Amino acid sequence: MTSAAEPAQPRPAATSPSPGPPTASYRLQLQPGFTLHDATAAVPYLAALGVSHLHLSPLLEATPGSTHGYDTVDHGRISEQLGGEGALRALAAAAHRHGLRLIVDVVPNHMAVPVPERLNQPLWQVLRDGPDSPYAHWFDIDWAAQPGPADAPGRGRVLLPLLGDRLGAVLDQLVVDGDVLRYHQHELPLRPGTADLPLTGLLARQWYRLAWWRLARTELNYRRFFTVNELIAVRVEEPEVFAATHAVLLRLHAEGVVDGFRIDHPDGLADPRGYLRRLARASGGAYTVVEKILTGDERLPADWPVAGTTGYDALRRIDGVLTDRAGADRLAGAYEDFLGGHPARVPGAGPHPAVAAARHGRADMTGPRGELAAEVERLVRCALRIGAAEPAYADHAPWQLRAALRRLLTGYPAYRPYAHPGEPAPPGSAEQLRAALDGSADPTDRLVAALALGELGRGADRDEFCVRFAQTAAAVAAKGVEDTAFYRWNALPGLNEVGGEPGRPGLHPAEFHDWCRHLERSWPHSMTALSTHDTKRSADARARLAVLAEQPEAWAAEAAAWSTAAGPGPDRDGDWLLWHTLVAAWPIDPDRLAAALLKSAREAKLRTSWTAPDAGYEQALADRARAVLADPGLRPRIEGLVHALAPYARSNTLAAALLHLTIPGVPDLYQGSEEPLYTLVDPDNRGVVDLGALAVRLTDSATARPGDLAREKLHLTTTALHLRRSRPLGPYRPLTAVGGGADHLLAFARGADVVTAVTRLPYGLERAGGWRDTVLELPGGGPWTDRLTLRTHPAGAVPVTELLADHPVALLTRRGEK
């Protein structure tokens, strides 16, 4: 923590010219174990690596001990846990001296409901003063949904579902301490003038209602982040709230400390486009990317004033082009055989188990006891108000409205419709929403769809319904698919990433090229990513799993043999996931393995869950994981398989890394991913990385020999990053190989001076006899040098056996180019 006695750090000049868009960024996860001071110490290494920008996780004051920063408690200061504003300025100054700039993660959607609650002072004042608080409009609270204090009928209050049991069972645990009500570690403000009342009378007079935590599913009346009760939504669409919550970051941008913004969860906002326009005006058009999840063939809205997304769309395409589509389909069949049937199918939900699982997961979220039932109920109340005020929309019973909402939210394929009250709905949103009705002529279905699209004109309640439907759709998609269905359907777990489509595995090279040209044409400065703080498995873990899709029958037989050798386990699906997790993250210790399996089981919500844990089942999972790792017969067999996969996994790792670094867009590297990284779902992937050790290894990475994957990947990464920094890469142009192995080579040119060539589906290539007569036509005009090996190749037809003699990838520039 910076001392008040320390001298002020130099401020970067506000008049310094903008450095332009990044060439590449490096994501650092700031936390008490890796502060802004540690980031400053790492600047020389990161500059030597070759990035242009440091990409920092959230900077504003968060809940004490937060390891991620998304639980903001104070927008008015840079986190003292991370070092404070002085440390941030020191980081910026060091970065500028090395030619680097800063991008920061912004959390506009929510704040923490911390423990103790007084840490969030705006919320504290709302809890004390209710709707009369000057901060009442900050938070997205439906005051009318909960009966008001005894002396303020009709005014409502906030439900706080924080009690460990029903209120009557914990009354003796509530303690009045001056003007504060205490419950274990919780501290809540008392409404002025109520401290001397008997406890039950005191509780009846507060602007909040204390409740058993289980009531949150159905009774909660504040919008939250997905299903996290501890994160309360902020109404950033209000100009005053935007100004207050963004003042520090915008000031730091104006002063040249911060250069760009990464916007967390724009799908949760009431008006993402309006928010982004306001941010662009306030920042003078600073470089901004959004964590927008695009599903299927969905495109980023063209009227959003941003540089692009944070890169999950690129992750899906890069993984896809390196995945065997036919093999992945066969592996899905083997998975169902392993389970003894088709447990992932839901009748009528779709032709593929992944589709069925996704929709089934969404339905779970919106049902009467689902985790998002409270959000659905808020929409029902809004629709009932519309019907009460306008006879044309009356007589739709609550149960009918719930059923219609469930059909629409379950069937809607994207994260949210992009309807704006007072504007015609975009055709794509309208078509998808009506398709979700599946031809239904039910009047309630049609009313709800029309309200969701803003087609019934303006009005406070109609506008609110349109906005809240979009926000709820995003929560349903995220929690129902990525955080439920993708933990239930595990045929090839590497496909189950944010924005992924396990029902459409694999991507043909022509489709990949088409997407790259779209990115270059429409969003040339969009971020691209392979590993993030939110990926369930890091890129190199997925690279191993992709090999299994090339040998589905052999892998299924091996998995069955492992299960037999290990003896009966808690369930077959758990075993299938266990074996994949071992392959993905090997070597792995028992605690990491057990924690990943436990989180997966709780997110799946089939045998256990976060809110209804089955202690016996969870213990059996942990015991299974530990027993397998301790088994003297199984452990060598697992290690042997990982060793056998290694040559093909190496090829996938280097191919994905080089594609990431040379396709259109701005590659965003996750901390530590410049070397092989085999991490699992958070918090496993958010640990502190030893950047000092990486800096030492960087000095001799150019001496990497084939098979030394750590140095190979580090050398590839720094070589490609320095190439990007040396000059802009030119227009994207696919190159086509010819010969027996042509389908296994993916190649493209960037302008006239750079060529990328990578191997795809390496196991299949080997089984087909290797490259044989395959040649790649290198553009004319002089010899080419592979920057990874310094070998030269003539222009014209080059045998791929020569081009990729030592490495499965090549990064070529013309002789004399740097």
Side-chain angles (χ1 to χ4, degrees), residues 641-790:
L641 179 73
V642 173
H643 180 75
L645 296 176
Y648 317 110
R650 165 183 174 253
S651 179
N652 286 342
T653 280
L654 296 178
L658 188 56
L659 291 176
H660 180 214
L661 293 167
T662 56
I663 63 171
V666 175
D668 183 47
L669 280 74
Y670 189 58
Q671 58 178 27
S673 66
E674 60 268 46
E675 286 192 335
L677 188 67
Y678 301 101
T679 54
L680 302 170
V681 69
D682 68 275
D684 188 68
N685 60 7
R686 297 182 182 180
V688 174
V689 174
D690 187 349
L691 297 181
L694 279 166
V696 172
R697 292 194 289 274
L698 180 64
T699 61
D700 66 351
S701 63
T703 63
R705 297 181 179 276
D708 183 354
L709 183 56
R711 282 183 169 80
E712 283 181 307
K713 189 180 183 188
L714 185 56
H715 175 54
L716 180 155
T717 300
T718 192
T719 301
L721 288 173
H722 279 279
L723 177 64
R724 293 186 67 96
R725 287 211 71 174
S726 67
R727 41 70 188 284
L729 299 184
Y732 184 93
R733 178 165 60 92
L735 300 176
T736 303
V738 295
D743 288 345
H744 293 274
L745 189 74
L746 181 70
F748 54 84
R750 296 300 309 272
D753 304 317
V754 177
V755 166
T756 287
V758 307
T759 303
R760 59 185 298 269
L761 313 186
Y763 179 77
L765 173 67
E766 182 180 275
R767 293 197 66 185
W771 294 115
R772 294 169 290 159
D773 59 345
T774 309
V775 297
L776 178 66
E777 186 81 20
L778 293 178
W784 293 81
T785 299
D786 184 349
R787 307 310 304 176
L788 304 178
T789 64
L790 300 184

Side-chain angles (χ1 to χ4, degrees), residues 483-800:
D483 288 348
T484 299
F486 282 3
Y487 286 98
R488 292 182 177 182
W489 195 80
N490 293 304
L492 187 58
L495 299 176
N496 294 354
E497 290 298 341
V498 173
E501 288 190 294
R504 294 168 59 185
L507 192 70
H508 191 275
E511 297 174 287
F512 179 82
H513 291 313
D514 286 345
W515 180 81
C516 286
R517 285 179 290 205
H518 157 74
L519 193 66
E520 178 180 57
R521 181 174 60 252
S522 301
W523 307 100
H525 303 302
S526 180
M527 272 186 179
T528 61
L530 281 180
S531 297
T532 77
H533 59 288
D534 279 332
T535 43
K536 293 179 175 64
R537 295 160 190 88
S538 61
D540 302 316
R542 302 195 307 274
R544 281 182 180 167
L545 295 181
V547 182
L548 303 181
E550 294 195 70
Q551 41 186 272
E553 291 80 16
W555 165 241
E558 189 71 8
W562 291 1
S563 288
T564 299
D571 61 68
R572 296 284 284 179
D573 195 46
D575 266 6
W576 185 269
L577 182 61
L578 167 62
W579 307 136
H580 277 83
T581 304
L582 285 165
V583 170
W586 192 267
I588 185 171
D589 65 61
D591 290 340
R592 283 184 64 210
L593 179 60
L597 294 175
L598 175 59
K599 179 164 184 175
S600 296
R602 286 181 172 176
E603 294 286 6
K605 308 171 191 70
L606 293 174
R607 297 284 300 274
T608 189
S609 70
W610 297 105
T611 57
D614 182 328
Y617 175 75
E618 293 183 355
Q619 187 61 54
L621 275 182
D623 291 345
R624 180 74 159 177
R626 296 178 190 282
V628 163
L629 287 174
D631 189 314
L634 262 180
R635 189 180 178 94
R637 187 164 181 171
I638 296 167
E639 190 163 24
L641 179 73
V642 173
H643 180 75
L645 296 176
Y648 317 110
R650 165 183 174 253
S651 179
N652 286 342
T653 280
L654 296 178
L658 188 56
L659 291 176
H660 180 214
L661 293 167
T662 56
I663 63 171
V666 175
D668 183 47
L669 280 74
Y670 189 58
Q671 58 178 27
S673 66
E674 60 268 46
E675 286 192 335
L677 188 67
Y678 301 101
T679 54
L680 302 170
V681 69
D682 68 275
D684 188 68
N685 60 7
R686 297 182 182 180
V688 174
V689 174
D690 187 349
L691 297 181
L694 279 166
V696 172
R697 292 194 289 274
L698 180 64
T699 61
D700 66 351
S701 63
T703 63
R705 297 181 179 276
D708 183 354
L709 183 56
R711 282 183 169 80
E712 283 181 307
K713 189 180 183 188
L714 185 56
H715 175 54
L716 180 155
T717 300
T718 192
T719 301
L721 288 173
H722 279 279
L723 177 64
R724 293 186 67 96
R725 287 211 71 174
S726 67
R727 41 70 188 284
L729 299 184
Y732 184 93
R733 178 165 60 92
L735 300 176
T736 303
V738 295
D743 288 345
H744 293 274
L745 189 74
L746 181 70
F748 54 84
R750 296 300 309 272
D753 304 317
V754 177
V755 166
T756 287
V758 307
T759 303
R760 59 185 298 269
L761 313 186
Y763 179 77
L765 173 67
E766 182 180 275
R767 293 197 66 185
W771 294 115
R772 294 169 290 159
D773 59 345
T774 309
V775 297
L776 178 66
E777 186 81 20
L778 293 178
W784 293 81
T785 299
D786 184 349
R787 307 310 304 176
L788 304 178
T789 64
L790 300 184
R791 290 189 177 188
T792 59
H793 303 276
V798 176
V800 178

